[in-house]
Amino acid sequence: MIGEAEALALASTFFYCNLLFMKQKITFSLFFLSLFGVLQVAAQVPDWSVNTNAYQGTMTIVGVIQIDGFETWGTDDVVGVFAGEECRGVARPIYSSALGRYFVFLSVFGNETPEIMTYRVYEAARDSIFTTTATISYSLNATLGTIGSPYIFEVGQLPFVFILEDKDGDGFFTDTDCDDEDPFINPGGFEIAGDSIDQNCDFFLEAGIPQITYVNNFNEISYDFNTNGFGIRQESGFDNGAMHSNHPYGDLFFNEEKNLYSILNIPIIVDEVSPTIRFQEVVLVEPGVEGVTYPDAAFRDYVIVEARTADQVNWTPLSEAYDARADTIWEQTYNSNIDPFGGTSNAVGDQTMYRERLLDISEHFSAGDTIKIRFRLYNDFLDFGWGWAIDDLEIQKAVPTSTTIAYEANIFQAFPNPLVDQTLSVNTTQFNPAEVLQFSLYDALGKLVFYEKRRSTEIDTNIQLDLPSLPNGLYYLQISDKEKRGSQKIIKSNQ
């Protein structure tokens, strides 16, 4: 890969600041106004030139030309920088085989006094000149743009741009949010049973029972996830199923910033024994500019794992955002098949690229918190690649040790159920009578509303719990000792 200094030195021979194009009469005719105030006119090759002797110094710009949302590969195209109607710099694209992009290198001439300038682009293919209301602030001896993060001379219209709103600020736009007026109703919402509202936008009203452990190898179709741009399937190059993003995850014809996501609809109660998320993954996602960190825009595309509690609107990152640079094989594979015209990667992932990722939930949430978990892939609408594959997901699956707590279904019985007053009887026969039992009652959103420690005995295995006054609704009772844990759904109803 060439360095910026080398690129600038190479490009200096192509600078057109002193170039005088053959003067030809330019015939202007109005073609259209773009969304960004850009005017296109029919034209002949412009005679843009600079009187270099009239100025004290220069400013350097390293950039790329983007017309109608796509970077140009026409070496006959021209960009000119102007102060009013006075040309101050002009250049044509130069192709870099090392980077697979067409760069323009401009020396913009001016004096010590800062000036506000504009730019124009001539497109040879349509013999058209684009002007724009975008401005450039000239400063003596300054540099704008780099090889890694070039300045974008953007003109024309972005094709198929969809203006999406997020009125309630919950991070979900109107294309996926079933209620954009309420920040707690969205694809990541916590479902509340019995209120006839679809909080998580999955078209079902049944609330998922909070669990301590969740495991999925994705070898069968699962309806546990609320997805946008993800699916559970077996892809070529993989021996079995996995959770795959769209491959590729971007679209050349729908130029829009977007998030692809897969949200686990089953709430997870954070465990103090093994609060971890473990999975296998392949990440062929566009690498950002070297040395740039998230959330800088030059970080470009990324994947991230996030979580939130029921009373949070924003999601908490469980990891730093990352891309194909997170593994040498991923990065080499992504860069092995870059489209020289668009900059996207045509490389394809397979199961030999699987790498394990381990996340610690307890770094961000406390034991007893009930959370939703989502996997998100961000695309900045420019270059893109194959995407993300996730397999062998294990959430809080304890590593077998002598202190491992085993989860068992139907390990106890609670009555009356439905509960009509504040007294609940629990049969604890299957628990060790010598152990101290922990009783935790959660509401439908996973909030802890009751907690008590009691010791079971061989004589009395029916323990009476005096609960606080609770509103009607759905609750979950969890009982655990040092060896076992179980839970049961409890309905509170005064009728």
Side-chain angles (χ1 to χ4, degrees):
M1 182 174 294
I2 62 175
E4 293 181 18
E6 295 173 288
L8 288 170
L10 174 65
S12 62
T13 57
F14 293 89
F15 274 39
Y16 292 91
C17 296
N18 295 311
L19 179 64
L20 298 177
F21 288 99
M22 181 179 292
K23 293 186 177 181
Q24 301 181 42
K25 182 178 179 181
I26 301 176
T27 303
F28 291 93
S29 63
L30 181 63
F31 190 74
F32 64 82
L33 284 172
S34 81
L35 296 175
F36 302 101
V38 178
L39 178 67
Q40 179 189 12
V41 295
Q44 295 175 325
V45 180
D47 60 349
W48 300 336
S49 61
V50 182
N51 180 7
T52 59
N53 296 323
Y55 307 103
Q56 297 174 350
T58 63
M59 169 182 175
T60 301
I61 302 179
V62 180
V64 294
I65 299 173
Q66 189 178 100
I67 303 175
D68 293 341
F70 299 94
E71 288 188 15
T72 182
W73 57 83
T75 54
D76 290 329
D77 295 343
V78 184
V79 60
V81 175
F82 293 81
E85 293 299 316
E86 192 174 69
C87 183
R88 296 292 187 85
V90 58
R92 299 190 186 209
I94 302 169
Y95 179 65
S96 167
S97 58
L99 298 175
R101 299 180 84 173
Y102 289 76
F103 293 92
V104 288
F105 304 90
L106 290 95
S107 284
V108 179
F109 287 77
N111 297 315
E112 291 186 3
T113 303
E115 292 183 86
I116 300 299
M117 301 183 180
T118 60
Y119 61 84
R120 305 170 192 174
V121 171
Y122 169 73
E123 183 188 21
R126 289 184 287 187
D127 192 26
S128 299
I129 293 176
F130 296 83
T131 62
T132 176
T133 57
T135 61
I136 295 173
S137 180
Y138 170 86
S139 181
L140 188 64
N141 298 325
T143 298
L144 179 62
T146 65
I147 291 292
S149 182
Y151 178 80
I152 298 177
F153 292 97
E154 184 178 36
V155 295
Q157 294 180 323
L158 292 178
F160 306 105
V161 172
F162 296 94
I163 307 302
L164 299 176
E165 291 186 281
D166 179 18
K167 297 178 183 177
D168 54 15
D170 60 6
F172 293 90
F173 294 98
T174 50
D175 61 334
T176 57
D177 196 342
C178 57
D179 185 347
D180 209 30
E181 303 290 338
D182 188 329
F184 295 101
I185 300 178
N186 53 54
F190 281 71
E191 195 74 82
I192 302 175
D195 67 351
S196 300
I197 298 175
D198 180 18
Q199 271 88 6
N200 65 357
C201 300
D202 69 346
F203 306 105
F204 296 98
L205 298 179
E206 182 66 24
I209 300 175
Q211 296 181 11
I212 300 292
T213 300
Y214 180 84
V215 176
N216 198 331
N217 63 12
F218 302 109
N219 290 337
E220 297 180 0
I221 295 297
S222 172
Y223 299 98
D224 295 342
F225 291 85
N226 200 344
T227 63
N228 176 46
F230 277 83
I232 296 173
R233 58 188 182 271
Q234 182 176 342
E235 288 276 350
S236 176
F238 294 81
D239 289 342
N240 47 44
M243 184 164 65
H244 290 269
S245 71
N246 292 344
H247 299 320
Y249 60 85
D251 193 322
L252 285 172
F253 298 101
F254 289 85
N255 238 359
E256 58 175 334
E257 176 183 15
K258 62 182 178 181
N259 287 300
L260 285 65
Y261 57 77
S262 184
I263 303 169
L264 180 62
N265 280 332
I266 299 171
I268 299 296
I269 301 172
V270 179
D271 188 20
E272 61 183 354
V273 176
S274 56
T276 59
I277 301 176
R278 186 189 305 269
F279 55 92
Q280 303 290 325
E281 64 178 339
V282 179
V283 180
L284 298 187
V285 170
E286 180 196 14
V289 177
E290 194 67 36
V292 172
T293 59
Y294 172 80
D296 192 294
F299 195 82
R300 297 178 181 167
D301 300 351
Y302 59 81
V303 299
I304 194 169
V305 184
E306 303 164 309
R308 60 177 284 259
T309 59
D311 58 356
Q312 287 181 304
V313 173
N314 298 319
W315 294 77
T316 299
L318 297 180
S319 68
E320 294 290 335
Y322 54 101
D323 53 32
R325 292 173 299 174
D327 183 85
T328 302
I329 296 300
W330 296 343
E331 184 174 21
Q332 290 176 349
T333 301
Y334 186 97
N335 292 330
S336 68
N337 195 351
I338 300 291
D339 188 330
F341 297 110
T344 60
S345 173
N346 296 315
V348 176
D350 61 56
Q351 66 181 27
T352 66
M353 300 179 199
Y354 270 136
R355 301 292 184 267
E356 182 177 282
R357 185 163 295 275
L358 178 65
L359 306 176
D360 186 351
I361 304 173
S362 66
E363 291 183 358
H364 311 278
F365 296 93
S366 301
D369 287 346
T370 299
I371 61 175
K372 282 284 192 77
I373 296 170
R374 77 170 175 179
F375 302 84
R376 179 166 65 94
L377 193 166
Y378 169 76
N379 176 22
D380 66 359
F381 83 76
L382 294 173
D383 298 339
F384 52 83
W386 179 80
W388 198 8
I390 298 166
D391 200 6
D392 295 332
L393 174 63
E394 298 178 349
I395 301 176
Q396 301 191 144
K397 181 182 178 182
V399 177
T401 69
S402 59
T403 59
T404 295
I405 299 176
Y407 177 82
E408 297 184 19
N410 303 318
I411 194 174
F412 68 88
Q413 294 295 321
F415 52 92
N417 193 4
L419 176 67
V420 294
D421 54 26
Q422 294 172 236
T423 302
L424 185 67
S425 296
V426 184
N427 186 296
T428 59
T429 305
Q430 296 188 55
F431 287 94
N432 188 334
E435 295 292 344
V436 174
L437 302 183
Q438 299 182 66
F439 297 84
S440 304
L441 186 68
Y442 298 89
D443 65 14
L445 290 177
K447 181 180 179 181
L448 183 67
V449 296
F450 173 82
Y451 177 81
E452 187 173 313
K453 288 184 178 181
R454 297 278 287 275
R455 186 182 297 277
S456 177
T457 68
E458 294 181 357
I459 298 175
D460 183 10
T461 55
N462 285 331
I463 293 179
Q464 304 295 315
L465 299 178
D466 295 323
L467 304 176
S469 179
L470 299 170
N472 291 346
L474 176 67
Y475 297 85
Y476 301 96
L477 178 63
Q478 176 184 291
I479 303 177
S480 62
D481 61 17
K482 291 183 178 180
E483 298 178 350
K484 299 177 182 179
R485 178 189 288 117
S487 65
Q488 183 180 334
K489 183 189 298 184
I490 305 294
I491 303 296
K492 174 66 188 302
S493 176
N494 293 328
Q495 299 179 351

